[in-house]
């Protein structure tokens, strides 16, 4: 089965909401409900699919270096 990554769409919401993460992963990825509620243009959301089934999700913080001064030289 093929894996793919795509931007989160409204059609993915139901499948994302059904995902449960191990509690050790929640500080990094957030719960599915937090992921779906977080709508920030500088932190785009993506889903990982196996075929048509959503099997994971993640965000990319495009402004991470702006918000975290330890990254500046």
């Amino acid at each position: 089965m093929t894996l793919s990554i795509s931007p989160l769409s409204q059609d993915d919401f139901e499948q994302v909401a059904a995902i449960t993460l191990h509690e050790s992963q929640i500080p990094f990825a957030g719960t599915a409900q937090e992921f779906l509620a977080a709508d920030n243009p500088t932190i785009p959301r993506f889903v990982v699919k196996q075929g048509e089934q959503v099997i994971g999700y993640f965000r990319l913080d495009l402004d991470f270096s702006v918000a975290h001064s330890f990254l500046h030289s």
Side-chain angles (χ1 to χ4, degrees):
M1 187 71 45
T2 303
L3 289 180
S4 62
I5 296 172
S6 59
L8 175 69
S9 74
Q10 191 71 35
D11 293 339
D12 300 321
F13 275 45
E14 185 175 336
Q15 288 187 57
V16 169
I19 294 175
T20 303
L21 297 180
H22 187 275
E23 65 184 46
S24 67
Q25 295 303 305
I26 292 173
F28 305 104
T31 65
Q33 291 72 27
E34 291 168 338
F35 176 79
L36 293 172
D39 189 14
N40 183 328
T42 65
I43 307 176
R45 298 171 291 172
F46 296 89
V47 292
V48 180
K49 293 183 177 182
Q50 185 173 30
E52 295 300 313
Q53 179 68 39
V54 175
I55 61 169
Y57 57 85
F58 65 95
R59 298 175 280 201
L60 290 177
D61 187 347
L62 302 177
D63 283 341
F64 188 84
S65 65
V66 173
H68 297 86
S69 62
F70 64 88
L71 295 173
H72 300 282
S73 42

